[in-house]
Amino acid sequence: MNDYGLTVQGLTKKIGSKTIVNDVSFDVKKGEIFGLLGPNGAGKTTIIRMIVGLINRTAGKVIVNGHDLDVHFTEALNEIGAIVENPEFYGYMTGYKNLIHYKRMSQKDITDEKLQDTIKLVKLDHAVNQKVKTYSLGMRQRLGVAQAILHTPSLLILDEPTNGLDPSGIREFRDHLRMLANNGISVLVSSHLLSEMQLMCDRFAIIDKGKLIHIESMQETTNMENDLLREVTFTTNNSESASLALASKTKTGLTLEILNDTQFKATIDYQSISEINKLLVQSDIHVYEISSVKKTLEDRFMELTNSEREVSLR
């Protein structure tokens, strides 16, 4: 049984002597939301356009739900639903008639029951008979998702899907994607909005200057119980006394920053938090609060991309 909705192997795109995408490989599991991250111009949209067959590949393979795009082109494309940039519709027609128009063009047989189920799934049943020109951007996005999944694809590809959406629209859209993933659809999302991607994705890949530089799960990124250093603030009855007590009892050259009379900050790993707390209590220092700054996707993104740039400059 194939566990992947998408497999990309050695994807490369060259235009003349310039390499736009350089030997990119990754998998998207079934029922997973996979984020494709990178700065503008990194090659994310080029990768998506190659996957859906809008532009030719210089090298590499694309396998969609077990179908090789080079060998079974039609079968592979039938497994894909995509929104590349903003979805476009006939504004003078209702949402329902737009979907009927797409249904007639589909190479798959789409029943009326499937059409109605899809409309309910994206929660557009209250507005599907209104003209699309009256739709908000969020409603257009939902109609775009309905069109993209109407033919029951195994893979949904979205390029910057939350552009222009307000905060409530973004949250609603995120909830829809999670619902689709829970139903077994693989979702590939490209975006530069890191805070949203952190809430949306199960795993992510970072593309920088056409190269894939890192793949990681979101759980690994935000996990507090790892060896990465983080800033931890201790609230005590006396920060000066706490600093002196720790200076006399630690041998590792712990560096503290006194913030005010009762708070100090230390840059330490996860295990050291309890050790410092223990030393403070043993020194009769009252500890009222310990707060750690949780690592974000933005922190990880900057850490990895800056590291890659430093390596390239050597």
Side-chain angles (χ1 to χ4, degrees), residues 48-111:
I48 284 176
R49 288 179 178 275
M50 285 191 283
I51 291 172
V52 300
L54 290 177
I55 59 175
N56 293 326
R57 289 162 276 137
T58 303
K61 279 187 173 295
V62 175
I63 300 170
V64 183
N65 199 28
H67 299 290
D68 189 321
L69 196 63
D70 292 326
V71 181
H72 304 290
F73 182 79
T74 301
E75 292 88 342
L77 284 190
N78 279 339
E79 296 288 344
I80 300 174
I83 303 176
V84 181
E85 299 175 351
N86 292 327
E88 295 293 335
F89 300 101
Y90 296 107
Y92 63 90
M93 292 166 57
T94 65
Y96 183 78
K97 287 185 177 178
N98 269 276
L99 291 176
I100 288 290
H101 182 65
Y102 177 75
K103 173 179 177 289
R104 289 169 181 160
M105 293 190 298
S106 176
Q107 294 189 18
K108 286 186 177 180
D109 183 30
I110 300 171
T111 65

Side-chain angles (χ1 to χ4, degrees), residues 187-234:
V187 182
L188 175 64
V189 185
S190 167
S191 179
H192 64 279
L193 298 177
L194 300 181
S195 59
E196 287 306 321
M197 293 294 269
Q198 179 170 337
L199 296 171
M200 188 184 296
C201 298
D202 301 304
R203 286 192 303 143
F204 65 91
I206 295 179
I207 308 294
D208 194 20
K209 297 179 181 177
K211 290 183 178 181
L212 190 154
I213 63 173
H214 192 73
I215 294 179
E216 187 171 285
S217 73
M218 205 61 69
Q219 185 176 8
E220 289 173 316
T221 296
T222 58
N223 183 14
M224 297 295 289
E225 298 182 25
N226 53 36
D227 295 329
L228 297 173
L229 297 179
R230 76 286 316 284
E231 292 183 349
V232 181
T233 300
F234 291 82

Side-chain angles (χ1 to χ4, degrees), residues 117-137:
D117 287 345
T118 302
I119 291 169
K120 290 177 182 177
L121 187 66
V122 299
K123 298 181 180 177
L124 260 185
D125 38 320
H126 70 288
V128 75
N129 291 314
Q130 297 175 19
K131 290 185 177 180
V132 171
K133 65 183 179 182
T134 68
Y135 281 17
S136 66
L137 187 54

Side-chain angles (χ1 to χ4, degrees), residues 174-189:
R174 187 171 68 234
D175 291 342
H176 282 313
L177 290 192
R178 178 52 59 192
M179 176 182 58
L180 294 172
N182 289 341
N183 286 333
I185 294 177
S186 303
V187 182
L188 175 64
V189 185

Side-chain angles (χ1 to χ4, degrees), residues 226-275:
N226 53 36
D227 295 329
L228 297 173
L229 297 179
R230 76 286 316 284
E231 292 183 349
V232 181
T233 300
F234 291 82
T235 302
T236 67
N237 59 319
N238 190 303
S239 55
E240 188 69 40
S241 298
S243 177
L244 291 172
L246 291 175
S248 66
K249 293 189 176 185
T250 56
K251 300 178 182 179
T252 57
L254 178 69
T255 301
L256 305 179
E257 179 185 349
I258 295 177
L259 303 176
N260 51 48
D261 291 343
T262 60
Q263 290 182 315
F264 68 89
K265 182 169 66 176
T267 303
I268 51 179
D269 60 32
Y270 184 76
Q271 297 301 324
S272 296
I273 297 174
S274 62
E275 294 171 10

